[in-house]
RNA sequence: GGUCUUGUAGUUCAGUUGGUUAGAACGCGCCGUUCACAUCGGCGAGGUCACAGGUUCGAGUCCUGUCAAGACCACCA
């Protein structure tokens, strides 16, 4: 193999597709322990996530990037940990969304409506549409690096999943938990279908409140009533007042007259009516208002529907028949005005129900629909979270979950659409219902062959609710279902906790008897760079594809994953992604450096002594080698802890800081010196390689492409080198490499870190002074250091100190004590170490005294603070180790202060 | 009306069970490019952790209240 020069900048454009192809064709996305294969081992622990299925005709948006990034991170982590890992992908038929899209397209291209086309032909066209555009979203999800097992891809309208839907429906029906009947539901006039309570959004809007007179029959008296929907007067069946209301008591039991229609309706008393609000009297329209509906039931009032499917007034509306609801509102009000029934109208702010999909105002209407009796299902679902079988992360959403579940209402599952699972109920002319798992040929009650299927389809969420098990083969006891169910994590946005998560829990428990997953992880929503909610009208839409084109997938993923916490919203924007692109490039260049060090490694000319600790156990390791190794062990422990606590952002942050601040800024710089030296070269290369290797492993779930690419180069370089024995885990791709396991803290680690930190402080202090005094970075200067008991450590590190601080090593003297205080020098005190830089002739030393005085003042303020602290109850009540730490600090500051004072003399 | 979240540097955010000099990124100022990386390096400025109480030896962190921003649920016509 020839050594290729790696480019200076990481080329994600050519790398990403190549790496993904390698993973996918290499079979790395499939569980290594496949229950369908003969060598299956049931003892290996599975880890599985079912993807939140995107809409089949949708296009990638930032929300997809969010969940794909988080789930891919979880999946890659567990895969590297050795779990038999499966991320099962798929898409959702998305009834309303898809049907609307196809309808609109038909109208535009062929100028036909779906009604003109007919149900069968329309469905044929929709399937064609799905075939044509359904792969766009999955291609785009691949671009994000998703390591899903595409061989197990599912679609909610697949035969298998449709069978699951059928089974679920029949199961509920047979159990008596599904019923059909006329009920007051939310009707979307534009879509001409019922929608569930969840699909209605309430928004505060400025409307008008209309006051008018309800005339009492055979008298000149009236009851004033207010409404925001005057057209519903046409459907009134009562006027209600509070039983104790002195103003209206006398009218209770009398008859009121509906304006214009002159229908006679009773005046009733009900405590629901608030005396304080409005006029204190309420018109009752049971056919078009949920509260009125309840009152009508209580009082046995008739229920009148006065709107048709398109929200036009029907035959019950007299002369307004055929008019649109808003037109009728205007006309009826005008007529009432002429009739002298109008009192006034005024502006009013209230919440208006609008369709989540179409945005139009939803009308409560009486309609024949299918419902699921939800209470028993909800009870079991509440229990599962309460007793800990399901854990929700972050925990606070459990409260939200309980609150919703405890107040849940029956679920309207029928939709007047064509694209979806048709309700598996057949009717015969006598009205018998046949509900079976297989399509029937006759009525099961009267054996009539003249049967027809219900026209409606099921709510899309009915099938999505089965997703964790329907994708695994349920209702069949497939090997996948047996091994992988219940699934592990359910990862999704908190915005669909009710829509989807709650329903999966109810369905899972009801149909499989098991929880569908043991952990729910809820991520936040994506906001723009300034924390603003993303919306098309604001024009701040963030296109993940553009960001990936410009900065690469890894950069986008890192932005999404780092700096966010579970359940909290995350900000994303070009600036941030750019910063992460820089990190990816930094990592790439560390990789280039390490690889070139390996490639140019020559064996030492003489045998080496064995000192120090580091990447390969005992060896010829320097302080820096041991230090970076100790830091790396600490990092492994921190990252592991954060992963266990779902603190992925924190883990990513720590990795970022380690790579850039510790590894690149310090260790790599020192390694440059150590590589020049025969005695330290081999251990340095080993350390470089191992530190890079472990960083790549831990970063892989965050930024899979660049880590895989560097790792491949690193592996190749090591294979050809004399240190190929460094790790036994180099045979496969990084995606299946072993996750670094944390080791307990070793005794030598804290001291090593402390010693190295002293070196860092000395270097920083010198750099600082140089910058302050404007000493040119290229200018090598001399230095004398009085190091006290740190003399030995510092002497060992003299080359390092000299190279990092820009000193001339030949003119660097380190001793426990300096016989003579160098003249005309700038003095620095770092802890107990004194540093003299003879800058006379180069810079003006006049400011030295005041600089030292400033530092003395600072040290003294610390001394004062710590003495106070140690004199307080802290000394007696705080843990001893902590007190000792503060005592040590105090001693350090005192030492520093003494030394500065000596300088000032 | 109920529940919840957030309030930390100019901006956007981290800050794990309370531990005593509060961090990052971007931005800003100064200096620097043969030596892995200008998609870079060095140095620096910038915060009374919204406010007021309380618990504690000790509070950005826990409790109570206030203010501000936001979310969700439920809603009186």
């Amino acid at each position: 193999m020839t050594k290729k020069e790696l480019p200076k900048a990481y080329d994600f454009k050519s790398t990403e597709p190549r790496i993904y192809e390698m993973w996918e064709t290499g079979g790395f996305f499939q569980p290594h322990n496949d229950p369908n294969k003969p060598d299956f081992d049931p003892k290996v622990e599975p880890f599985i996530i079912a993807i939140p299925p995107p809409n089949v005709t949708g296009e990638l948006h930032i929300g997809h990037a969010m969940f794909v990034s988080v789930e891919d991170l979880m999946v890659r982590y567990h895969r590297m940990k050795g779990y038999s890992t499966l991320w099962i992908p798929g898409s959702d038929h998305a009834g309303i969304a898809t049907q609307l899209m196809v309808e609109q397209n038909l109208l535009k291209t062929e100028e036909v409506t779906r009604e003109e086309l007919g149900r069968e032909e329309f469905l044929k066209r929709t399937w064609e549409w799905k075939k044509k555009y359904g792969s766009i979203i999955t291609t785009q999800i691949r671009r994000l690096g998703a390591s899903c097992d595409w061989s197990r891809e599912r679609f909610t309208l697949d035969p298998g999943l449709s069978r699951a839907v059928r089974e679920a429906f029949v199961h509920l029906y047979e159990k008596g938990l599904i019923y059909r009947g006329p009920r007051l539901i939310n009707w979307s006039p534009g879509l001409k279908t019922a929608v569930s309570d969840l699909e209605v959004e309430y928004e505060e809007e400025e409307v008008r409140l209309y006051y008018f007179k309800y005339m009492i029959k055979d008298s000149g008296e009236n009851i004033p009533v207010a409404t925001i929907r005057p057209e519903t007067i046409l459907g009134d069946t009562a006027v209600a007042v509070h039983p104790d209301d002195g103003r209206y008591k006398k009218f209770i039991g009398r008859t009121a007259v509906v304006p214009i229609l002159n229908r006679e309706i009773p005046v009733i008393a009900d405590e629901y009516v608030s005396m304080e609000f409005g006029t204190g009297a309420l018109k009752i329209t049971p056919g078009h208002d949920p509260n009125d509906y309840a009152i009508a039931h209580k009082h046995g009032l008739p229920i009148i529907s006065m709107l048709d499917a398109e929200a036009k007034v029907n035959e019950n509306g007299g002369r307004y028949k055929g008019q649109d609801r808003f037109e009728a509102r205007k006309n009826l009000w005008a007529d009432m005005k002429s009739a002298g029934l109008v009192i006034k109208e005024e502006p009013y702010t209230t919440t208006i129900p609008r369709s989540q999909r179409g945005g139009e105002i939803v009308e409560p209407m009486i309609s024949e629909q299918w419902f699921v009796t939800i209470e028993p299902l909800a009870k079991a679902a509440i229990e599962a979270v309460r007793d800990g079988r399901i854990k929700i992360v972050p925990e606070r959403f459990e409260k939200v979950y309980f609150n919703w579940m405890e107040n849940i209402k029956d679920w309207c599952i029928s939709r007047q659409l064509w694209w979806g699972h048709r309700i598996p109920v057949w009717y015969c002319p006598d009205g018998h219902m046949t509900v079976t798992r297989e399509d029937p040929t006759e009525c099961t009650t009267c054996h009539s062959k003249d049967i027809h299927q219900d026209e409606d389809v099921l709510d899309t969420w009915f099938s999505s609710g089965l997703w964790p098990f329907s994708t695994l083969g349920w209702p069949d006891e497939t090997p996948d279902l047996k091994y992988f169910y219940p699934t592990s994590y359910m990862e999704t946005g908190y915005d669909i906790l009710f829509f989807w998560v709650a329903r999966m829990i109810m369905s899972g428990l009801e149909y499989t008897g098991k929880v569908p997953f043991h952990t729910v992880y809820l991520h936040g929503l994506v906001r723009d760079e300034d924390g603003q909610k993303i919306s098309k009208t604001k024009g701040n839409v963030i296109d993940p594809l553009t960001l990936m084109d410009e900065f690469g997938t890894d950069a986008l993923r890192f932005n999404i994953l780092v700096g966010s916490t579970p359940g909290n919203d995350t900000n994303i924007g070009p600036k941030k992604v750019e910063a992460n692109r820089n990190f990816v490039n930094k990592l790439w260049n560390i990789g280039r450096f390490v690889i070139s060090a390996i490639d140019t490694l020559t064996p030492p000319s003489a045998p080496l002594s064995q000192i120090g600790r580091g990447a390969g156990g005992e060896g010829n390791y320097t302080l820096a080698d041991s230090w970076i190794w100790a830091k790396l062990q600490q990092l492994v422990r921190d990252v592991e802890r954060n992963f266990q606590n779902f603190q992925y952002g924190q883990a990513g942050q720590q990795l970022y800081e380690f790579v850039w601040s510790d590894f690149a800024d310090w260790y790599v710089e020192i390694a440059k010196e150590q590589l020049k030296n025969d005695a330290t070269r081999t251990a340095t290369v080993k350390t470089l390689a191992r530190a890079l290797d472990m960083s790549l492993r831990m970063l892989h779930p965050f930024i899979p492409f660049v880590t895989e690419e560097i790792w491949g180069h690193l592996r190749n370089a090591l294979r050809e080198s004399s240190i190929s024995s460094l790790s036994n885990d180099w045979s496969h791709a990084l995606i299946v490499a072993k996750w670094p396991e944390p080791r307990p803290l070793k005794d030598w680690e804290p001291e090593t870190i402390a010693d190295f930190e002293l070196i860092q402080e000395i270097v920083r202090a010198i750099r600082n002074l140089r910058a302050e005094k404007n000493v040119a970075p290229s200018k090598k200067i001399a230095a004398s250091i009085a190091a006290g008991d740190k003399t030995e450590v510092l002497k060992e590190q003299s080359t390092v100190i000299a190279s990092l601080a820009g000193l001339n090593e030949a003119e660097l003297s380190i001793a426990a004590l300096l016989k003579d205080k160098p003249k005309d020098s700038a003095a620095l005190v770092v802890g107990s170490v004194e540093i003299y830089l003879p800058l006379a002739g180069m810079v003006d030393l006049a400011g030295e005294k005041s600089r030292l005085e400033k530092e003395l003042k600072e040290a003294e303020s610390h001394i004062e603070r710590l003495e106070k602290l140690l004199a307080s109850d802290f000394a007696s009540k705080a843990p001893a180790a902590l007190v000792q730490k503060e005592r040590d600090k105090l001693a350090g500051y005192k030492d520093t202060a003494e030394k500065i004072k000596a300088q000032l003399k």
Side-chain angles (χ1 to χ4, degrees):
Chain A
M1 207 177 164
T2 54
K3 275 170 196 155
K4 262 193 320 201
E5 191 74 10
L6 299 174
K8 283 192 171 191
Y10 169 59
D11 177 16
F12 61 84
K13 278 204 171 99
S14 70
T15 306
E16 288 175 4
R18 173 166 49 77
I19 294 279
Y20 196 87
E21 169 87 10
M22 182 274 283
W23 286 330
E24 192 172 357
T25 55
F28 293 113
F29 297 161
Q30 286 158 29
H32 68 79
N33 184 43
D34 192 322
N36 302 294
K37 301 243 169 86
D39 61 347
F40 168 69
D41 178 359
K43 288 191 291 295
V44 175
E45 218 177 313
F47 179 83
I48 170 173
I49 292 181
I51 203 171
N55 291 0
V56 67
T57 55
E59 290 229 23
L60 196 76
H61 57 69
I62 198 73
H64 296 122
M66 178 65 160
F67 83 69
V68 169
S69 300
V70 177
E71 287 167 34
D72 196 47
L73 170 122
M74 293 167 161
V75 161
R76 285 178 188 269
Y77 168 71
H78 283 91
R79 187 182 289 124
M80 291 174 80
K81 280 240 168 198
Y83 290 83
S84 182
T85 303
L86 172 61
W87 186 11
I88 195 159
S91 50
D92 193 291
H93 66 279
I96 294 177
T98 306
Q99 177 165 324
L100 273 179
M101 193 177 280
V102 175
E103 269 186 279
Q104 278 162 11
N105 182 260
L106 283 171
L107 211 55
K108 217 170 72 187
T109 58
E110 299 177 40
E111 293 183 8
V112 291
T113 63
R114 80 177 147 106
E115 286 84 359
E116 285 163 0
L117 219 50
R119 185 166 191 151
E120 203 175 321
E121 182 59 23
F122 179 79
L123 285 178
K124 214 181 106 194
R125 299 294 186 91
T126 310
W127 274 105
E128 280 166 13
W129 180 277
K130 186 255 168 189
K131 281 193 189 98
K132 199 165 163 194
Y133 297 108
S135 61
I136 292 178
I137 188 75
T138 52
T139 306
Q140 291 171 329
I141 283 175
R142 279 179 169 89
R143 256 200 86 180
L144 284 163
S147 57
C148 313
D149 181 357
W150 296 103
S151 72
R152 283 175 163 90
E153 188 178 350
R154 298 287 185 268
F155 176 51
T156 45
L157 284 178
D158 279 348
L161 275 72
S162 298
R163 209 158 70 78
V165 168
R166 173 76 75 95
E167 171 63 32
F169 186 95
V170 176
H171 168 96
L172 286 181
Y173 183 82
E174 287 176 347
K175 222 175 153 180
L177 291 175
I178 275 189
Y179 64 93
R180 181 176 192 246
R183 292 285 187 284
L184 193 71
I185 48 88
N186 305 298
W187 185 262
S188 172
L191 303 169
K192 280 179 274 178
T193 179
V195 293
S196 75
D197 293 345
L198 279 176
E199 288 160 281
V200 179
E201 286 171 350
Y202 293 85
E203 269 182 69
E204 204 152 86
E205 289 176 31
E206 189 77 14
V207 294
R208 299 194 77 72
L209 185 58
Y210 301 85
Y211 292 80
F212 66 98
K213 299 172 187 168
Y214 240 112
M215 301 307 293
I216 301 299
K217 190 187 170 194
D218 301 331
S219 83
E221 295 175 289
N222 71 77
I223 303 177
V225 174
T227 180
I228 57 170
R229 295 185 296 161
E231 72 279 12
T232 62
I233 289 168
L234 302 171
D236 283 354
T237 58
V239 173
V241 299
H242 194 279
D244 302 332
D245 194 327
R247 293 169 294 178
Y248 308 127
K249 232 175 177 167
K250 56 184 174 184
F251 298 126
I252 296 169
R254 292 181 64 184
T255 301
V257 182
V258 175
I260 311 301
L261 294 183
N262 295 322
R263 223 168 359 91
E264 295 184 359
I265 56 173
V267 176
I268 60 165
D270 196 293
E271 297 190 339
Y272 169 80
V273 183
S274 155
M275 287 190 273
E276 291 77 36
F277 192 84
T279 63
L282 188 59
K283 63 190 265 320
I284 302 296
T285 320
H288 299 281
D289 184 283
N291 294 310
D292 295 3
Y293 183 77
I295 290 174
H297 263 280
K298 197 166 144 195
H299 294 268
L301 297 170
I303 295 168
I304 297 173
S305 285
M306 43 70 62
L307 292 173
D308 66 14
E310 290 173 52
K312 286 185 179 149
V313 176
N314 67 12
E315 64 281 1
N316 292 323
R319 69 168 100 140
Y320 305 99
K321 183 182 173 201
Q323 294 182 12
D324 174 78
R325 51 185 162 160
F326 302 116
E327 198 187 337
R329 176 178 300 177
K330 220 167 65 197
N331 293 336
L332 174 63
W333 192 247
D335 292 346
M336 284 167 64
K337 212 167 209 168
S338 313
L341 296 172
V342 164
I343 300 169
K344 62 173 175 180
E345 52 183 291
E346 58 186 31
Y348 183 67
T349 304
T350 190
T351 49
I352 300 296
R354 286 184 181 273
S355 155
Q356 185 195 39
R357 189 57 60 177
E360 57 180 339
I361 295 178
V362 163
E363 285 296 330
M365 284 206 217
I366 300 291
S367 172
E368 185 91 6
Q369 302 286 346
W370 284 94
F371 297 87
V372 174
T373 307
I374 210 80
E375 213 199 311
L377 307 185
K379 245 184 176 160
I382 289 168
E383 201 46 42
V385 174
R386 196 147 272 159
D387 67 20
R389 274 174 295 155
I390 295 175
K391 177 180 155 186
I392 300 180
V393 180
E395 208 179 275
R396 67 184 137 91
F397 283 102
E398 290 189 359
K399 206 167 171 180
V400 180
Y401 172 85
F402 289 136
N403 183 46
W404 187 74
M405 276 290 194
E406 278 157 8
N407 298 295
I408 197 166
K409 294 201 188 99
D410 282 359
W411 178 14
C412 175
I413 51 170
S414 44
R415 295 289 179 277
Q416 288 64 55
L417 304 172
W418 288 349
W419 179 243
H421 299 100
R422 200 156 164 186
I423 288 179
V425 177
W426 281 259
Y427 308 92
C428 72
D430 291 342
H432 303 133
M433 285 196 273
T434 301
V435 182
T436 54
R437 286 171 176 80
E438 302 301 327
D439 285 7
T441 54
E442 57 172 45
C443 173
T444 45
T445 312
C446 67
H447 304 291
S448 162
K449 306 270 183 205
D450 180 16
I451 54 171
H452 68 276
Q453 188 173 2
D454 196 297
E455 293 293 322
D456 293 349
V457 300
L458 286 162
D459 182 3
T460 301
W461 296 105
F462 190 89
S463 53
S464 335
L466 315 176
W467 189 250
F469 41 98
S470 64
T471 50
L472 293 171
W474 185 86
D476 294 330
E477 262 289 303
T478 59
D480 269 5
L481 188 72
K482 256 192 259 176
Y483 182 59
F484 285 116
Y485 189 79
T487 65
S488 309
Y489 293 177
M490 171 44 59
E491 195 286 336
T492 190
Y494 64 73
D495 52 330
I496 51 172
L497 179 62
F498 305 142
F499 271 108
W500 194 41
V501 178
R503 280 159 181 173
M504 281 188 288
I505 295 174
M506 291 191 280
S507 307
L509 289 166
E510 178 62 26
Y511 307 130
T512 71
K514 294 176 188 166
V515 294
F517 30 74
H518 58 73
T519 300
V520 176
Y521 176 96
L522 298 169
H523 61 244
L525 306 183
V526 175
R527 292 166 176 277
D528 77 4
E529 217 145 31
D530 303 315
Q532 297 296 306
K533 200 170 182 174
I534 289 169
S535 74
K536 278 181 191 154
T537 49
K538 269 189 201 155
N540 60 349
V541 173
I542 297 163
D543 181 6
L545 296 167
T546 311
L547 288 172
M548 283 192 276
D549 285 342
E550 200 173 348
F551 303 113
T553 300
D554 288 329
L556 175 64
R557 287 177 54 131
F558 212 59
N559 185 177
I560 290 170
L561 294 168
V562 173
S564 69
T565 39
N568 284 352
D569 295 352
T570 316
N571 302 352
I572 287 174
K575 272 187 186 169
K576 293 192 165 205
V577 180
E578 187 182 6
N580 289 312
R581 185 275 315 267
N582 295 350
F583 174 69
V584 168
N585 193 59
K586 184 81 183 179
L587 190 65
W588 170 255
N589 277 294
I590 295 169
R592 285 177 64 218
F593 176 79
V594 174
I595 288 159
S596 81
I598 295 167
D599 286 347
T600 54
L601 178 66
T602 50
S605 46
L608 300 172
S609 58
Q610 297 286 301
I611 50 158
R613 311 228 175 211
E618 293 282 333
N620 190 23
Y621 295 105
T622 65
L623 176 64
D625 296 334
S626 303
W627 167 74
I628 197 74
W629 186 244
K631 291 291 272 190
L632 197 50
Q633 295 308 322
Q634 187 56 49
L635 179 68
V636 174
R637 287 188 281 268
D638 288 343
V639 167
E640 187 64 16
R641 195 196 63 236
N642 280 315
F643 264 75
Q644 294 300 325
N645 296 330
F646 303 95
Q647 300 287 332
Y648 304 117
Q650 187 67 13
Q653 187 71 40
Q654 284 167 334
L655 284 160
Y656 181 101
E657 278 163 21
F658 173 82
V659 165
W660 208 314
S661 307
D662 294 331
F663 194 24
D665 287 353
W666 288 93
Y667 187 71
V668 167
E669 290 309 313
I670 292 170
K672 286 175 187 172
E673 287 303 314
Q674 296 185 357
L675 287 172
K676 292 176 189 160
N677 188 331
D678 218 30
T680 51
R681 189 182 306 124
T682 307
T684 302
V685 172
K686 274 190 190 180
T687 308
L688 281 169
R690 200 72 180 103
L692 177 62
D693 170 38
M694 285 174 65
S695 303
L696 293 174
R697 285 172 200 249
M698 288 187 281
L699 279 166
H700 184 253
F702 296 88
I703 45 175
F705 290 107
V706 71
T707 49
E708 182 75 76
E709 177 70 359
I710 301 171
W711 200 79
H713 289 299
L714 177 64
R715 181 192 51 195
N716 292 343
L718 280 171
R719 273 185 183 158
E720 293 168 23
S721 76
S722 55
I723 52 167
S724 56
S725 63
L726 190 61
S727 165
N728 56 5
D729 183 26
W730 294 93
S731 48
H732 299 294
L734 177 59
I735 185 175
V736 290
K738 275 203 187 76
W739 184 261
E741 290 301 328
R743 307 176 184 180
L745 184 74
K746 301 262 173 61
D747 295 341
W748 57 269
E749 290 179 22
E751 201 193 331
T752 300
I753 290 174
D755 280 348
F756 190 82
E757 279 173 355
L758 178 66
I759 308 288
Q760 287 181 304
E761 277 177 57
I762 290 169
V763 170
R764 280 202 195 99
I766 298 172
R767 282 176 175 172
N768 183 343
L769 190 83
R770 291 177 61 121
E772 215 173 282
K773 302 288 179 194
N774 277 319
V775 179
S778 54
K779 175 80 186 167
K780 301 281 181 229
I781 59 175
S784 304
I785 300 178
D789 57 356
K790 294 290 176 190
T791 308
E792 206 179 319
V793 177
L794 262 56
K795 271 188 164 165
E796 273 170 30
Q797 302 304 316
S798 60
T799 311
V800 166
I801 295 169
S803 81
L804 294 180
L807 306 176
N808 184 351
E809 203 183 344
E811 294 180 83
L812 169 63
S813 65
I814 300 171
L817 276 171
L818 295 178
K819 277 182 225 134
D820 302 305
K821 198 172 100 180
K823 285 190 183 104
D824 295 331
S825 289
L828 292 165
V829 181
V830 177
S832 60
V833 176
E834 291 168 85
I835 304 156
Y836 297 92
L837 302 174
L839 297 176
M842 278 187 276
V843 298
D844 173 25
L845 288 173
E848 276 306 283
K849 199 176 167 205
S850 66
R851 185 180 61 79
L852 281 170
E853 274 166 352
K854 207 178 127 199
E855 278 177 20
L856 178 62
K857 224 172 164 184
E858 204 187 309
E860 280 173 338
S861 83
H862 282 300
I863 291 167
E864 193 184 347
R865 179 179 60 78
L866 286 166
E867 276 178 341
K868 224 189 226 163
L869 177 68
L870 287 162
S872 73
D873 289 348
F874 172 78
S876 52
K877 296 202 176 170
L882 220 62
V883 177
Q884 190 52 47
K885 215 170 106 190
E886 296 307 315
R887 286 213 172 97
D888 293 347
K889 269 192 213 164
L890 177 61
Y893 282 121
K894 277 184 167 163
D895 197 13
T896 303
E898 284 313 307
K899 297 215 158 101
I900 296 172
K901 272 183 201 158
Q903 299 293 337
L904 284 166
K905 268 179 200 158

